[in-house]
Amino acid sequence: MKKSFTLILAFLFIGFLSLNAQASLEGSVMDKDQGTPLDFAYVKLYQGTSMITGTQTDFDGNFLITNIDPGTYDIEASYLGYTSEKKTGVVLKAGKVLRLKFELSPEGVVLDKVVITEYKAPLIDIDNTTTGGTVTAEKIQNLPTKEVSAIAATTAGVSSVDGGSVTIRGGRTNATAYYVDGIRVIGLVPQSEIEQMQVITGGLEAKYGDATGGLISITTKGPSQKFSGGAEVETSQYLDPYGYNLASAYL
């Protein structure tokens, strides 16, 4: 019984010596210019080119590494957007806690020169197998007509009488398919909501199904965080014998 108690004390004593034989490292990583802590900065311990251990700082820029074998280390602190700092030849002693302070400076990033050139649409799009045209919102705003069918009629091969039904390449009016944001529809949207209108007069893709004539595909402007509206009035009264009048408003 006495021998067993002696062995237990011996093991406890050896464990205590082993625990005290380890070193600890603590410290902080700060912004050198502002004096503010850098949270989640990396702190790494090296011996030669091999990294032995490491950690990250907390929200206050502090770090703690325990159970380090005594010896000489190179200790590096790094943070994204800052220059790294390395302290070399740091001696960690058994049973001792060494405190270090790192102060990192913001690192300026030199960007490569950026050349800005204006994009020009090619005269011939070799990847396009369809024929027709595309009208943007800017072009629609500058057109004298505001009817969707009349806007479509500005494309070669498309005709519309007085803003009525659209005929593409002499086909029937009911052979023209209409799509709004990729969904086939019967009615159309106000011209003020059109971001882009694509008129396809030939070479329809298989995804458009049974469209036997042409196709008018409209992309709307989509939702906006700003509330806006407008009104427009056009007239040729007293200017020509037709007496054309147009009034439109939108929200």
Side-chain angles (χ1 to χ4, degrees):
M1 181 69 181
K2 185 176 180 180
K3 290 183 178 179
S4 299
F5 182 72
T6 303
L7 288 174
I8 292 173
L9 289 178
F11 280 120
L12 290 175
F13 181 72
I14 293 173
F16 178 75
L17 290 178
S18 176
L19 182 63
N20 283 337
Q22 299 298 98
S24 298
L25 175 68
E26 66 178 14
S28 61
V29 181
M30 312 292 289
D31 184 308
K32 186 175 182 179
D33 296 339
Q34 303 295 330
T36 54
L38 298 177
D39 53 345
F40 302 108
Y42 287 99
V43 179
K44 301 176 183 178
L45 276 70
Y46 291 90
Q47 280 189 328
T49 58
S50 301
M51 191 186 83
I52 305 303
T53 186
T55 188
Q56 282 185 289
T57 58
D58 58 19
F59 288 104
D60 297 320
N62 298 318
F63 66 90
L64 173 65
I65 305 176
T66 58
N67 297 326
I68 308 172
D69 292 333
T72 302
Y73 296 87
D74 296 334
I75 305 174
E76 181 183 39
S78 60
Y79 192 75
L80 182 64
Y82 287 73
T83 56
S84 300
E85 181 183 354
K86 178 180 285 188
K87 299 182 185 294
T88 60
V90 178
V91 178
L92 299 180
K93 299 180 180 180
K96 301 293 183 180
V97 179
L98 180 66
R99 180 169 181 81
L100 296 177
K101 182 178 181 180
F102 293 89
E103 293 180 319
L104 308 185
S105 300
E107 181 179 21
V109 179
V110 179
L111 300 178
D112 295 333
K113 181 173 65 175
V114 177
V115 179
I116 300 176
T117 57
E118 182 181 0
Y119 171 76
K120 294 182 179 180
L123 294 176
I124 300 176
D125 188 356
I126 60 175
D127 296 323
N128 185 18
T129 59
T130 63
T131 58
T134 301
V135 185
T136 62
E138 183 180 0
K139 291 182 179 180
I140 293 174
Q141 189 68 28
N142 296 327
L143 287 175
T145 179
K146 304 303 178 186
E147 294 290 340
V148 173
S149 55
I151 296 171
T154 60
T155 302
V158 181
S159 61
S160 174
V161 179
D162 296 332
S165 300
V166 175
T167 299
I168 296 180
R169 287 190 171 180
R172 297 177 180 177
T173 56
N174 59 4
T176 302
Y178 298 89
Y179 283 79
V180 176
D181 292 333
I183 300 175
R184 190 164 183 170
V185 297
I186 297 177
L188 295 177
V189 298
Q191 61 84 18
S192 59
E193 299 301 318
I194 298 175
E195 176 65 28
Q196 187 180 93
M197 176 190 292
Q198 182 184 20
V199 182
I200 301 177
T201 59
L204 292 175
E205 299 179 25
K207 65 180 181 180
Y208 293 118
D210 60 348
T212 57
L215 182 139
I216 297 176
S217 177
I218 295 174
T219 302
T220 60
K221 293 181 179 179
S224 175
Q225 295 181 347
K226 296 181 179 180
F227 183 80
S228 62
E232 185 175 3
V233 178
E234 296 180 9
T235 182
S236 65
Q237 194 74 30
Y238 308 116
L239 299 177
D240 58 35
Y242 302 103
Y244 175 78
N245 296 289
L246 173 66
S248 63
Y250 64 91
L251 292 175

